[in-house]
C-alpha cells in the first residue's frame, strides 16, 4: 500500500513541478493545447492519477484527492494564462506588422459596353431614323404565314424546307401557314406593320435576330438584320435609290460609291441588291493606279471585285399589299433588308463571324 501512495505522490509532484515550464515553452495555440491534453486530457497524466484514487487506502484518499484536484485547477489556470498571453501576443504582432495602405487604388471591376453588333445596329437605325423612319419591333418566333405566305413565297420555296429553317412545335393545325418557326428574315416586320395600320405614310425600320440552318466562318445559324420599308401613294424606285444612297454615304463615307444589281426576292418586283465600293481596299480612292489595282486584286474581303454586297431591296410586290389589306393600285412602296453582322465585320475587320458570338472579352474589347 505504501508503494501505491508513494507512486501517486510522485506523479503529482512531477505534474506540479513541470506544467508551468512546459506551457511556457509552447509558442502557439496548437502546441499549447496538445501539451495540456498530455496532462489533463482524457488520457493525460493527471487524469490517470485521478482514476487510481479508488485503489488508495481510505484514510489517505481524501487528502490526496484534494491535492490532485487542487493541482488540476492549477494546471487549468496556467493553461488559460498561457493561452491568453499567446492570443494577446498574436494581436500585438498584427497591430505592429505592415499597415494597410489606404492610399492604394481600389480593385477595378472594369466597365462594360454594348456588343459590337448592338453598336452597329444602333448606328444603322440612327441613320434611318434621321431620314424619318420610325423604329419598330417584330417577333422572332413567327407563323409561316407572316414569314413566308403573305410575303408571296410559293409553298415549295426552298426556304420553307425543314432543312433550311428552324421550325418549332406549337402549330395549331397541319396547314403550312400555321406552322411556327424562328423567323428567317426581318421581312416579317413588313407584314406586321402593314397589316395593322390603315394610315399613310408608313416608314419603318426594324432590327433583330434571324435564324437559318447555316454554320461556317461567314454564316451563323443566328444572325441579325435590319429591315426597312416605306409605303405611300406614289413611292417609286427613285425614292428607293435616293434613300439607300443617302444611307450608304452617311454610314460608310461620302466617297464610297454604290451600285444596284437586279436580283430576285419573292416579295419585291423589281428586286435588286446593293453593292458598296469595298471599304477595305478602297478602289475608289485613287482609281486607276497600279498600286490600287494590286491592292484590290489581293483583297480577301471583296475577293478582288472591288465591291461588297450589303443589302437586298426592291419595290414591294402587289401580292404583299393584297395580303396585308392594301390596294396595290393606289399605294406603292419599297423595302430593303441587310445583314448587321456583315456590316459589323466590315467596320471592325473581323474575318470569322463566330468570334462575334463567343463572348470572349479579350476579343470584344479590341473592337
Ligand atoms: N429578306 C431578304 C433577305 O433576307 C432581304 C430583303 C428585304 C430583300 C427586303 C428585299 C426587300 O435576304
Amino acid at each position: 500500500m505504501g508503494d501505491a501512495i508513494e507512486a501517486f505522490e510522485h506523479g503529482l509532484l512531477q505534474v506540479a513541478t513541470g506544467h508551468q515550464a512546459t506551457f511556457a515553452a509552447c509558442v502557439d495555440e496548437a502546441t499549447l493545447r496538445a501539451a495540456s491534453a498530455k496532462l489533463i486530457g482524457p488520457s493525460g497524466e493527471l487524469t490517470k492519477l485521478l482514476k487510481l484514487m479508488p485503489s488508495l487506502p481510505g484514510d489517505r484518499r481524501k487528502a490526496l484527492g484534494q491535492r490532485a484536484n487542487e493541482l488540476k485547477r492549477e494546471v487549468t489556470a496556467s493553461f488559460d494564462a498561457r493561452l491568453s498571453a499567446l492570443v494577446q501576443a498574436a494581436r500585438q504582432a498584427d497591430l505592429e506588422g505592415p499597415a494597410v495602405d489606404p492610399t492604394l487604388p481600389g480593385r477595378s471591376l472594369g466597365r462594360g459596353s454594348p456588343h459590337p453588333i448592338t453598336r452597329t445596329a444602333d448606328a444603322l437605325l440612327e441613320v434611318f431614323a434621321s431620314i424619318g423612319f420610325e423604329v419598330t419591333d417584330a417577333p422572332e418566333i413567327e407563323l409561316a404565314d407572316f414569314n413566308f405566305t403573305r410575303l408571296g413565297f410559293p409553298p415549295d420555296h426552298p426556304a420553307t424546307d425543314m432543312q433550311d429553317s428552324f421550325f418549332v412545335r406549337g402549330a395549331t393545325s397541319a396547314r403550312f401557314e400555321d406552322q411556327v418557326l424562328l423567323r428567317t428574315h426581318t421581312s416579317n416586320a413588313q407584314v406586321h406593320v402593314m397589316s395593322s395600320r390603315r394610315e399613310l405614310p408608313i416608314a419603318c425600320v426594324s432590327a433583330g435576330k434571324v435564324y437559318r440552318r447555316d454554320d461556317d466562318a461567314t454564316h451563323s445559324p443566328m444572325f441579325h438584320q435590319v429591315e426597312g420599308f416605306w409605303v405611300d401613294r406614289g413611292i417609286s424606285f427613285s425614292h428607293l435609290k435616293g434613300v439607300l444612297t443617302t444611307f450608304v454615304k452617311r454610314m460608310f463615307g461620302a466617297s464610297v460609291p454604290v451600285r444596284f444589281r437586279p436580283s430576285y426576292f419573292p416579295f419585291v418586283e423589281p428586286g435588286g441588291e446593293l453593292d458598296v465600293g469595298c471599304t477595305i481596299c478602297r478602289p475608289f480612292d485613287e482609281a486607276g493606279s497600279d498600286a490600287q489595282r494590286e491592292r484590290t486584286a489581293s483583297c480577301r474581303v471583296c475577293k478582288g471585285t472591288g465591291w461588297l454586297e450589303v443589302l437586298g431591296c426592291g419595290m414591294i410586290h402587289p401580292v404583299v399589299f393584297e395580303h396585308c389589306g392594301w390596294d396595290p393600285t393606289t399605294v406603292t412602296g419599297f423595302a430593303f433588308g441587310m445583314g448587321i453582322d456583315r456590316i459589323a465585320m466590315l467596320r471592325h475587320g473581323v474575318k470569322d463571324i463566330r468570334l462575334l458570338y463567343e463572348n470572349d472579352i479579350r476579343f470584344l474589347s479590341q473592337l
Side-chain angles (χ1 to χ4, degrees):
M1 260 315 160
D3 286 354
I5 294 173
E6 214 170 276
F8 192 87
E9 286 188 316
H10 180 71
L12 289 186
L13 195 64
Q14 288 237 299
V15 174
T17 50
H19 70 89
Q20 296 241 358
T22 307
F23 288 166
C26 297
V27 292
D28 60 48
E29 191 177 332
T31 39
L32 177 65
R33 286 191 187 279
S36 143
K38 272 196 190 151
L39 298 177
I40 52 174
S43 48
E45 283 166 44
L46 189 53
T47 315
K48 278 190 212 147
L49 290 175
L50 285 165
K51 282 184 191 149
L52 289 177
M53 293 284 298
S55 65
L56 298 177
D59 58 337
R60 302 290 305 279
R61 201 183 294 158
K62 188 166 177 231
L64 286 171
Q66 276 176 352
R67 270 178 59 195
N69 279 318
E70 178 62 25
L71 182 55
K72 189 172 177 183
R73 276 193 290 279
E74 263 175 43
V75 173
T76 308
S78 83
F79 166 80
D80 287 346
R82 182 63 185 146
L83 181 62
S84 67
L86 284 177
V87 170
Q88 181 69 36
R91 191 178 303 152
Q92 197 60 34
D94 258 0
L95 287 173
E96 285 165 6
V100 173
D101 180 354
T103 66
L104 282 176
R107 257 172 231 161
S108 161
L109 289 177
R111 189 189 291 188
S113 67
H115 191 279
I117 302 244
T118 307
R119 295 205 307 266
T120 303
D122 288 348
L124 295 170
L125 292 176
E126 180 72 35
V127 171
F128 288 108
S130 76
I131 298 174
F133 285 79
E134 166 193 344
V135 178
T136 59
D137 266 332
E140 280 174 41
I141 301 173
E142 188 57 288
L143 291 172
D145 192 24
F146 284 68
N147 191 83
F148 294 127
T149 311
R150 292 205 210 185
L151 287 165
F153 281 74
D156 59 350
H157 189 281
T160 64
D161 199 291
M162 301 287 265
Q163 301 301 316
D164 288 325
S165 305
F166 294 102
F167 284 84
V168 297
R169 261 179 251 134
T172 51
S173 82
R175 266 190 353 136
F176 176 72
E177 288 72 22
D178 296 331
Q179 304 304 306
V180 179
L181 77 160
L182 303 183
R183 67 173 172 187
T184 61
H185 54 180
T186 43
S187 299
N188 66 330
Q190 290 182 45
V191 181
H192 281 280
V193 172
M194 283 197 262
S195 303
S196 63
R197 297 202 189 171
R198 300 272 59 94
E199 265 162 45
L200 295 172
I202 298 171
C204 293
V205 273
S206 187
K209 294 183 169 67
V210 302
Y211 304 83
R212 292 182 197 174
R213 293 195 168 216
D214 264 337
D215 202 359
D216 60 38
T218 52
H219 295 90
S220 152
M222 182 279 297
F223 59 104
H224 302 78
Q225 286 187 331
V226 173
E227 188 84 6
F229 44 97
W230 184 348
V231 175
D232 204 348
R233 289 189 182 81
I235 296 289
S236 71
F237 204 89
S238 312
H239 294 102
L240 179 157
K241 286 185 84 173
V243 166
L244 292 180
T245 305
T246 302
F247 157 73
V248 169
K249 306 278 175 192
R250 294 232 187 122
M251 190 71 197
F252 298 100
S255 65
V256 179
V258 298
R259 130 181 133 172
F260 289 86
R261 283 181 291 108
S263 183
Y264 173 77
F265 299 95
F267 37 93
V268 287
E269 180 58 36
E273 271 168 47
L274 183 153
D275 297 342
V276 302
C278 180
T279 54
I280 305 298
C281 65
R282 307 181 69 85
F284 42 87
D285 277 350
E286 36 167 336
S289 82
D290 286 350
Q292 178 51 61
R293 263 198 290 277
E294 184 52 40
R295 224 176 24 245
T296 297
S298 59
C299 180
R300 298 224 305 253
V301 177
C302 67
K303 301 201 175 68
T305 63
W307 294 96
L308 300 168
E309 188 183 311
V310 294
L311 59 82
C313 58
M315 300 306 293
I316 296 172
H317 199 290
V319 137
V320 178
F321 283 124
E322 278 167 10
H323 288 161
C324 297
W326 290 92
D327 177 1
T329 63
T330 59
V331 299
T332 52
F334 69 82
F336 57 89
M338 77 185 104
I340 300 173
D341 314 68
R342 187 168 151 72
I343 292 176
M345 287 168 79
L346 286 176
R347 282 174 108 198
H348 299 292
V350 175
K351 299 227 165 58
D352 189 333
I353 192 172
R354 291 170 291 204
L355 287 168
L356 289 172
Y357 302 121
E358 280 167 5
N359 278 344
D360 186 334
I361 203 81
R362 291 167 301 177
F363 166 76
L364 293 176
S365 59
Q366 295 175 46
L367 302 188

